[in-house]
């Protein structure tokens, strides 16, 4: 049983399980009834997405220093008790269930899901490589 970190909208892996969208906004132009069928996500959980202000900061982060500043602020948002408990829950569930979390960004290295991966790993999540 494992957790995968995925790009939303990409083809699902055979054993991926439930796909959770950790994004601030649903996909544009896609009817809600089609989200799962089009491989976006099964459940929308914006609580783990960066705040609107931080999404903008991430998009504008063109240097390693700017990206590090974004990552620090996103980690602070995820340290809020409700978010921290959600991360703890997902890490624990990863040892008994297959599921995934993701975002739309093409490059994981320049996406909040890279920080989310690290946060979950720090909590002992079983994360599938790749």
């Amino acid at each position: 049983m494992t957790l995968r970190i995925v790009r939303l909208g990409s083809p699902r892996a055979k054993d991926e399980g439930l796909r959770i969208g950790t994004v601030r906004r649903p996909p544009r132009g896609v009817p809600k009834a089609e989200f799962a069928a089009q491989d976006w996500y099964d459940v929308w959980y914006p609580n783990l997405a960066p705040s609107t202000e931080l999404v903008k900061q991430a998009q504008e982060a063109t240097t390693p220093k700017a990206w590090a500043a974004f990552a620090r602020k996103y980690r602070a948002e995820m340290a809020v008790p409700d978010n921290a408990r959600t991360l703890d829950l997902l890490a624990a569930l990863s040892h008994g269930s297959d599921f995934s979390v993701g975002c739309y960004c093409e490059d994981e290295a320049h996406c909040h899901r890279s920080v989310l991966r690290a946060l979950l790993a720090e909590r002992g999540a079983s994360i599938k490589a790749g």
Side-chain angles (χ1 to χ4, degrees):
M1 304 295 163
T2 57
L3 160 65
R4 292 174 186 264
I5 310 297
V6 300
R7 180 176 184 203
L8 301 179
S10 66
R12 292 175 190 254
K14 183 181 132 205
D15 58 350
E16 185 176 317
L18 182 79
R19 188 176 271 200
I20 303 168
T22 62
V23 291
R24 185 65 34 209
R25 306 256 185 263
R28 292 182 184 177
V30 179
K32 187 176 182 177
E34 293 293 317
F35 289 170
Q38 292 185 22
D39 291 333
W40 294 105
Y41 50 75
D42 301 303
V43 177
W44 180 36
Y45 199 73
N47 305 50
L48 294 182
S51 64
T52 303
E53 299 78 28
L54 272 186
V55 168
K56 184 175 180 182
Q57 183 178 349
Q59 291 170 338
E60 295 172 353
T62 58
T63 65
K65 183 177 179 178
W67 182 255
F70 159 77
R72 236 182 351 269
K73 289 179 183 176
Y74 177 59
R75 280 179 167 274
E77 287 185 352
M78 294 301 102
V80 172
D82 284 345
N83 294 335
R85 283 190 291 274
T86 297
L87 293 171
D88 290 341
L89 174 66
L90 293 177
L93 287 172
S94 73
H95 295 280
S97 301
D98 289 323
F99 64 97
S100 61
V101 296
C103 180
Y104 308 123
C105 299
E106 185 173 347
D107 180 8
E108 182 179 324
H110 196 76
C111 176
H112 81 278
R113 71 181 188 265
S114 65
V115 181
L116 193 54
R117 177 188 293 275
L119 288 167
L120 289 162
E122 290 162 14
R123 287 167 164 78
S126 175
I127 302 174
K128 178 122 180 150

